[in-house]
Amino acid sequence: MYGRIIVAVDLEQIEQGRALLARATSFLDAGGEIRLLHVLEEVPGYIAAELPGDISERRRAAAAVELRAMIDPNEDVRVVHEVRHGPASGQILQAAEDSGADLIMIASHKPGLRDYFIGSTAARVIRHATCSVLVER
């Protein structure tokens, strides 16, 4: 069905990410690729000033380890992982464009008050994606 799938994973909701990955494998064409993507939000400057200088790289490395752990080496599916920095919706959309994705899969949560004012990540991805988007709830 799809040749390239982006699976956006929030590592704080790892079980949702595992479920999305399992579902993505059933949608993938033979010879296709799944890209597990986690986006680290930027740390505000006033907080970053008080943190060790290498905190950004340590966060990236820890996220990469968690994403790698999600990949089943016995599965006959090409799965790669990527960690990006920045606003989640923008980075998900950019990753989809960079990889030529046919489908973005993302989990949604129950919206909080903040989401009603500025919108959730999933809602922003849906509005701006140039490919299909599957939102898992």
Side-chain angles (χ1 to χ4, degrees):
M1 293 172 54
Y2 298 98
R4 295 183 187 273
I5 302 174
I6 299 287
V7 177
V9 177
D10 178 354
L11 292 174
E12 292 182 13
Q13 306 292 325
I14 195 88
E15 289 309 313
Q16 284 183 321
R18 288 185 205 285
L20 279 176
L21 177 57
R23 193 159 184 204
T25 60
S26 68
F27 293 156
L28 192 65
D29 289 335
E33 176 185 275
I34 295 172
R35 180 171 300 268
L36 286 177
L37 175 67
H38 177 69
V39 180
L40 295 168
E41 297 281 340
E42 295 295 330
V43 176
Y46 63 91
I47 294 174
E50 301 299 321
L51 298 173
D54 65 341
I55 192 71
S56 180
E57 191 51 44
R58 285 194 285 174
R59 289 175 64 215
R60 177 185 289 272
V65 166
E66 287 189 63
L67 289 176
R68 259 193 311 273
M70 291 176 64
I71 301 170
D72 182 356
N74 299 321
E75 191 79 38
D76 190 27
V77 174
R78 177 172 160 75
V79 181
V80 296
H81 63 83
E82 181 178 3
V83 179
R84 291 184 176 223
H85 285 275
S89 60
Q91 290 301 316
I92 292 166
L93 293 166
Q94 188 62 54
E97 183 179 317
D98 293 348
S99 67
D102 306 312
L103 175 66
I104 300 170
M105 297 179 70
I106 188 169
S108 182
H109 59 9
K110 292 185 179 175
L113 184 59
R114 178 175 176 239
D115 295 325
Y116 287 111
F117 291 112
I118 63 170
S120 69
T121 298
R124 287 189 296 273
V125 168
I126 290 166
R127 279 194 302 274
H128 301 287
T130 58
C131 64
S132 297
V133 178
L134 184 146
V135 179
E136 182 84 18
R137 191 130 164 132

